[in-house]
C-alpha cells in the first residue's frame, strides 16, 4: 500500500512538469518571437521530418528565411505551403510578398485576383477527391436511369459537373506537373548552355519563379515565364519546389 501511495505521489510531482514541457513547435515559435530566427528554423526543419505535408511548418520556415533576408528560400517554402493549403490567406499574402520582392507575381498579369483565388480554392488533392466523388455519383445515377428510366435530369447535371471538374483537374494537373524552382541566390545568370564558358544572356533576381526542363551536370535548363527567357542556370543558385 505504501508503494502504491509513493507511486501516486511521484506521478503527481512529475505530471505537471511533463504537461508543462513545451513541444518543439512551441519552442520554435518562442525562438521566433525572440528574434532567434536561425534557431527557430532549425527546429521547424527538424519538425518537417515528422510532418512532411504540414503546410504551416513550411509557412513558418518561410517566415524564418524571410526574416533572415533569404527571400528566395522564403518564396520556395511559401509556395510549398500554398500548394497544400491554397485557401489560407496568410500563406497567399506572404507568398505574394516574397515573390513581389523579386519582381515576380503570383497572379499572372491580366488575370483577375478573384478568378485566380477561385482556381486555386481547392488543393490538387482535394480536386482529385472531388473528381472521384462526382464520377461515382454519375455512375450511380446513370445506372439507376438505365434500369428504371428515372432521375434523367440528375444524370445530365452530374455529367456536367463531372466534365467541369475534369477540366479543372486537367488544368491543375498541367501546372502541378511543372518542375518549379525559385531563384535563391541574389542573382542567377541565364546562360546559353550548361557551363560558365557559355555567354550569359540575362540575369534573374532572387525570388523569381522558373520552370526546370532539363538537367546536366551542375546546371538546369529553365524557362522564366514572366520574362519569356530560356537558358541554363547553375543548380546552386536555385531552390527546387
Amino acid at each position: 500500500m505504501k508503494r502504491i501511495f509513493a507511486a501516486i505521489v511521484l506521478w503527481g510531482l512529475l505530471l505537471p512538469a511533463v504537461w508543462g514541457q513545451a513541444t518543439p513547435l512551441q519552442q520554435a515559435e518562442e525562438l521566433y518571437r525572440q528574434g532567434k530566427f536561425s534557431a527557430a528554423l532549425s527546429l521547424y526543419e527538424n519538425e518537417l521530418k515528422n510532418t512532411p505535408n504540414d503546410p504551416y511548418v513550411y509557412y513558418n520556415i518561410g517566415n524564418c528565411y524571410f526574416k533572415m533576408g533569404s527571400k528566395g528560400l522564403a518564396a520556395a517554402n511559401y509556395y510549398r505551403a500554398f500548394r497544400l493549403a491554397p485557401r489560407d490567406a496568410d500563406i497567399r499574402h506572404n507568398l505574394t510578398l516574397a515573390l513581389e520582392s523579386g519582381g515576380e507575381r503570383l497572379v499572372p498579369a491580366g488575370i483577375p485576383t478573384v478568378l485566380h483565388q477561385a482556381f486555386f480554392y481547392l488543393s490538387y488533392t482535394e480536386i482529385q477527391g472531388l473528381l472521384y466523388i462526382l464520377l461515382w455519383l454519375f455512375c450511380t445515377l446513370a445506372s439507376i436511369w438505365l434500369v428504371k428510366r428515372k432521375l434523367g435530369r440528375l444524370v445530365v447535371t452530374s455529367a456536367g459537373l463531372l466534365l467541369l471538374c475534369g477540366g479543372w483537374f486537367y488544368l491543375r494537373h498541367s501546372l502541378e506537373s511543372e518542375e518549379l524552382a525559385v531563384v535563391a541566390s541574389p542573382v542567377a545568370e541565364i546562360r546559353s548552355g550548361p557551363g560558365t564558358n557559355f555567354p550569359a544572356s540575362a540575369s534573374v533576381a532572387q525570388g523569381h519563379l522558373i520552370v526546370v526542363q532539363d538537367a546536366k551536370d551542375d546546371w538546369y535548363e529553365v524557362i522564366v515565364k514572366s520574362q519569356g527567357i530560356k537558358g541554363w542556370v547553375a543548380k546552386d543558385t536555385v531552390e527546387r519546389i
Side-chain angles (χ1 to χ4, degrees):
M1 191 67 181
K2 291 182 179 179
R3 291 181 179 179
I4 295 174
F5 179 75
I8 293 173
V9 172
L10 181 61
W11 273 109
L13 293 172
L14 291 177
L15 280 177
V18 172
W19 288 340
Q21 185 176 5
T23 66
L25 284 177
Q26 290 172 332
Q27 293 173 14
E29 290 169 2
E30 181 59 30
L31 289 169
Y32 183 87
R33 283 192 291 268
Q34 294 174 8
K36 300 176 181 179
F37 305 121
S38 180
L41 175 63
S42 179
L43 288 177
Y44 281 128
E45 289 183 331
N46 189 60
E47 183 64 22
L48 198 60
K49 299 174 184 177
N50 302 321
T51 55
N53 293 316
D54 188 333
Y56 301 105
V57 175
Y58 282 120
Y59 172 73
N60 286 317
I61 289 174
N63 287 339
C64 290
Y65 276 122
F66 195 87
K67 290 291 188 180
M68 294 164 64
S70 299
K71 295 179 181 178
L73 293 174
N77 283 282
Y78 288 145
Y79 206 101
R80 290 165 182 149
F82 178 71
R83 280 180 164 175
L84 294 167
R87 292 186 298 279
D88 189 283
D90 290 333
I91 291 175
R92 172 179 277 270
H93 176 268
N94 283 19
L95 173 59
T96 300
L97 190 64
L99 292 176
E100 288 180 347
S101 68
E104 185 65 277
R105 295 169 57 97
L106 174 62
V107 182
I111 302 296
T113 300
V114 173
L115 182 60
H116 188 270
Q117 290 175 337
F119 184 70
F120 286 97
Y121 185 76
L122 298 181
S123 69
Y124 177 76
T125 303
E126 289 171 338
I127 297 174
Q128 192 174 35
L130 178 61
L131 185 63
Y132 287 144
I133 292 172
L134 289 174
L135 179 60
W136 173 85
L137 180 63
F138 169 74
C139 291
T140 301
L141 292 173
S143 299
I144 294 172
W145 182 82
L146 287 172
V147 174
K148 297 184 177 181
R149 299 298 177 179
K150 294 181 178 180
L151 306 180
R153 290 183 180 179
L154 288 177
V155 172
V156 173
T157 302
S158 65
L161 291 173
L162 181 60
L163 287 173
L164 286 173
C165 188
W168 189 13
F169 177 75
Y170 173 77
L171 293 173
R172 286 290 297 274
H173 180 72
S174 299
L175 292 176
E176 292 288 332
S177 299
E178 290 183 336
E179 294 290 337
L180 288 180
V182 176
V183 175
S185 61
V187 175
E189 292 185 328
I190 309 294
R191 297 183 177 272
S192 59
T196 54
N197 54 315
F198 291 90
S201 57
S203 60
V204 183
Q206 182 178 193
H208 258 75
L209 283 172
I210 58 178
V211 180
V212 178
Q213 290 197 312
D214 198 5
K216 184 176 181 181
D217 299 328
D218 295 327
W219 297 81
Y220 287 133
E221 185 180 23
V222 302
I223 294 177
V224 186
K225 284 187 174 182
S226 60
Q227 298 184 15
I229 301 172
K230 183 176 181 179
W232 294 80
V233 298
K235 288 183 177 179
D236 60 4
T237 63
V238 302
E239 172 78 5
R240 297 285 290 268
I241 297 177

